[in-house]
Amino acid sequence: MTESSGVPLRVVSYNVHGQRDDAAALAAVVRGAAPDVVIVQEGPRRFRWRHKSAALAESFGLVVAGGGLPALGNLLLTSLRVRVLATRCQQFPLTPGRHLRGAAYADCVVAGGARFTLAGSHLSTDPAERPGQAALFKRELDAAATPVVAGADLNEGPDAPAWATIARGLTDAAVAADRADRLTYSCADPRRRIDALFVDPRITVVDYDVVDTPQTRRASDHFPVLVDLLLPVTG
């Protein structure tokens, strides 16, 4: 497909490790990718989270679209190419003794006339919790009125049940680009692909990369997922 038959969108999905690593490297990594949208996991969610979210977005050259504390650290950032029409947040039921988890959603339109639903989530490290959280996230994705672009840290690989739930009916961007062998975690010792980008089948995956450089190894404990898409023009 050529760009004339779709609207380009560059996406980064990135677990930023609570910004506990090299903040300058983190900002440089994202700015260097020049994305239209960034789906952040482990973004600001505590004291002064609005200010911290805005500062993170500014360091990336982007603006806050939605998420943050109400989405329990899932944050959606956009460039000025993308107009945000509506946002919503989701919190998954709390299992006593565990961390709260959730998701963020934004209804967007990108310059060129393509509407899409941007979504991000971060599932539990507990395998007993993940399937239920995945089902709740998937229910919202299935209900979206426009083509979905969903990034997540699933805390499990493609052969596990929560991953299968979310992937059902969607395109795994890594598989579409024949790069499912690219591992996302951990930067210190890459062994697993637990970070993913899923898209509506109407969306074309042009390119996919897991950015492994000395800079990304300083920026977080996860590598960023960088994907180029072509969105269908919607009426």
Side-chain angles (χ1 to χ4, degrees):
M1 180 181 288
T2 63
E3 288 195 3
S4 61
S5 56
V7 178
L9 186 79
R10 174 164 282 195
V11 181
V12 168
S13 185
Y14 205 173
N15 183 320
V16 300
H17 199 208
Q19 299 169 258
R20 296 193 295 271
D21 301 296
D22 188 328
L26 179 66
V29 166
V30 176
R31 282 183 175 268
D36 297 303
V37 298
V38 178
I39 304 166
V40 174
Q41 299 91 42
E42 292 196 33
R45 56 174 291 184
R46 293 183 176 87
F47 178 68
R48 300 183 71 210
W49 65 270
R50 290 183 180 86
H51 172 79
K52 292 175 182 176
S53 296
L56 179 65
E58 183 178 10
S59 76
F60 292 168
L62 303 171
V63 297
V64 175
L69 175 61
L72 301 173
N74 296 287
L75 188 64
L76 305 176
L77 310 178
T78 63
S79 74
L80 297 181
R81 284 192 69 229
V82 178
R83 182 161 56 96
V84 177
L85 306 176
T87 64
R88 56 197 179 280
C89 296
Q90 179 181 27
Q91 295 188 4
F92 303 138
L94 174 64
T95 300
R98 300 292 181 181
H99 294 296
L100 279 164
R101 303 284 180 169
Y105 307 88
D107 300 323
C108 303
V109 59
V110 65
R115 290 191 60 177
F116 65 101
T117 298
L118 186 66
S121 188
H122 185 188
L123 303 189
S124 174
T125 57
D126 184 346
E129 285 189 301
R130 286 196 297 268
Q133 294 174 351
L136 292 171
F137 186 46
K138 179 63 170 174
R139 185 175 66 188
E140 295 298 316
L141 299 180
D142 287 346
T146 55
V148 165
V149 176
D153 173 357
L154 281 73
N155 270 312
E156 67 180 33
D159 57 348
W163 185 298
T165 293
I166 296 170
R168 187 178 61 250
L170 297 174
T171 298
D172 180 337
V175 173
D178 195 25
R179 291 182 179 170
D181 60 338
R182 302 297 303 276
L183 306 178
T184 67
Y185 182 83
S186 71
C187 290
D189 184 18
R191 291 178 179 267
R192 307 172 69 197
R193 183 166 80 95
I194 64 173
D195 305 273
L197 190 81
F198 301 102
V199 299
D200 186 288
R202 291 170 288 180
I203 296 174
T204 299
V205 178
V206 177
D207 198 14
Y208 172 96
D209 194 16
V210 174
V211 185
D212 180 355
T213 66
Q215 203 167 46
T216 59
R217 287 176 179 253
R218 296 196 308 272
S220 176
D221 61 341
H222 290 245
F223 294 118
V225 173
L226 172 63
V227 186
D228 284 305
L229 304 172
L230 284 177
L231 306 182
V233 177
T234 52

